[in-house]
């Protein structure tokens, strides 16, 4: 276990991963003592990147080695040669490679939205390396309404002349994240946007929309058998106003499969940002259950 006084400065690293179309580099931030065998892997939502977990990682890196990857096509990771590979099988394979790179037998996993789906798919495998699972507004039912809402902007990468205009855009499309301070909105913007010669634009491959739209269903998507195969302790964080994860679904998640503990975050939709101390505390308390005092 790392000492509480470890400096909270992340290291940028990367690992080479394979796809049917060649090799690509997955970038990640590592917080805390690199020798710590107690690893927390934090995986972001559909269009965002590992910087979303800066506040949570800073708070927990004295206890855990916190690893925050940019899923392929996002942030500092490589774009994939074939946009139709932007799907769960490739993401799960990449995360298996990442965990092997970390040289640990097991990790705790926190996934927001898409990151939660990747975590569920991995945790359902026989011999899975996930020992504790936190699903941040993610579950085995994806509502059609939320998929349509996300589909209305995914793949759209407008360019903004200044960070103020970029932030105004983020405040609109990320309004379901709930109330945040001005400083937090700026942080969310700077974590997601990248500046180039043209201006500020979302830092992800717009090609991720290709498979998203090609597979858009005409009803809610369910994959209960995956959830039911999970055996590790599981916590579900649900935004009270979420249009992706319903209260009905979380009640079922508490009753079957790993029988998850469920916490509802008031005044938040999809998804809790995990930037607020009360949200971070819920994650910390769950991950440290069973630790000796």
């Amino acid at each position: 276990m790392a000492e509480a006084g470890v400096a909270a400065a992340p290291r940028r690293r990367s690992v080479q991963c394979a796809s049917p179309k060649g090799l690509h580099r997955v970038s990640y931030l590592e917080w805390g003592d690199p020798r710590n065998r107690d690893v927390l892997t934090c995986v972001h939502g559909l269009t965002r990147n590992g910087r979303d977990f800066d506040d949570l990682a800073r708070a927990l890196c004295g206890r855990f080695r916190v690893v925050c990857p940019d899923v392929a096509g996002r942030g500092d990771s490589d774009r994939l040669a074939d946009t139709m590979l932007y799907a769960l099988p490739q993401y799960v394979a990449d995360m298996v490679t990442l965990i092997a790179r970390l040289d640990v037998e097991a990790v705790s996993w926190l996934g927001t939205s898409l990151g939660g789906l990747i975590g569920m798919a991995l945790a359902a495998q026989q011999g899975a390396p996930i020992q504790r699972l936190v699903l941040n507004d993610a579950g085995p039912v994806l509502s059609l309404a939320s998929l349509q809402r996300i589909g209305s902007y995914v793949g759209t990468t407008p360019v903004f002349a200044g960070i103020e205009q970029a932030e105004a855009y983020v405040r609109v499309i990320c309004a379901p994240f709930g109330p945040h301070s001005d400083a937090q909105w700026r942080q969310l913007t700077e974590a997601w946007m990248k500046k180039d010669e043209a201006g500020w634009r979302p830092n992800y491959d717009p090609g991720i929309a290709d498979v998203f739209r090609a597979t858009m269903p005409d009803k809610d998507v369910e994959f209960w058998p995956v959830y039911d195969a999970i055996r590790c302790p599981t916590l579900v964080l649900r935004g009270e106003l979420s249009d992706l994860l319903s209260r009905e679904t979380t009640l079922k998640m508490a009753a079957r499969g790993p029988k998850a503990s469920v916490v509802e975050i008031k005044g938040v939709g999809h998804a809790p940002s995990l930037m607020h101390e009360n949200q971070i505390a819920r994650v910390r308390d769950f991950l440290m259950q069973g630790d000796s005092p």
Side-chain angles (χ1 to χ4, degrees), residues 83-158:
T83 59
M84 297 309 289
L85 291 173
Y86 287 127
L88 278 176
Q90 185 63 56
Y91 301 151
V92 170
D94 288 354
M95 294 302 106
V96 170
T97 301
L98 171 62
I99 292 170
R101 166 65 181 273
L102 300 176
D103 192 27
V104 291
E105 297 300 318
V107 300
S108 296
W109 184 285
L110 187 158
T112 295
S113 194
L114 172 64
L117 302 185
I118 299 169
M120 279 195 292
L122 182 52
Q125 303 299 314
Q126 186 171 0
I130 297 179
Q131 59 188 4
R132 285 187 176 273
L133 176 63
V134 181
L135 301 174
N136 185 27
D137 219 62
V141 179
L142 306 178
S143 77
L144 177 60
S146 68
L147 294 174
Q148 291 174 332
R149 175 179 61 78
I150 295 168
S152 70
Y153 69 82
V154 66
T156 302
T157 54

Side-chain angles (χ1 to χ4, degrees), residues 136-217:
N136 185 27
D137 219 62
V141 179
L142 306 178
S143 77
L144 177 60
S146 68
L147 294 174
Q148 291 174 332
R149 175 179 61 78
I150 295 168
S152 70
Y153 69 82
V154 66
T156 302
T157 54
V159 180
F160 301 95
I163 191 65
E164 295 80 10
Q165 293 86 351
E167 181 184 320
Y169 175 74
V170 169
R171 285 181 182 242
V172 171
I173 67 167
C174 297
F177 288 7
H180 288 78
S181 68
D182 288 345
Q184 288 172 326
W185 280 119
R186 179 57 59 90
Q187 181 178 332
L188 283 164
T189 302
E190 292 179 341
W192 190 48
M193 294 280 180
K194 183 175 183 178
K195 191 175 188 300
D196 58 24
E197 63 280 356
W200 293 84
R201 70 177 76 229
N203 189 16
Y204 71 92
D205 182 357
I208 69 172
D210 294 350
V211 68
F212 188 88
R213 293 186 175 133
T215 58
M216 180 65 71

Side-chain angles (χ1 to χ4, degrees), residues 13 26 93-94:
R13 294 182 170 174
V26 168
D94 288 354

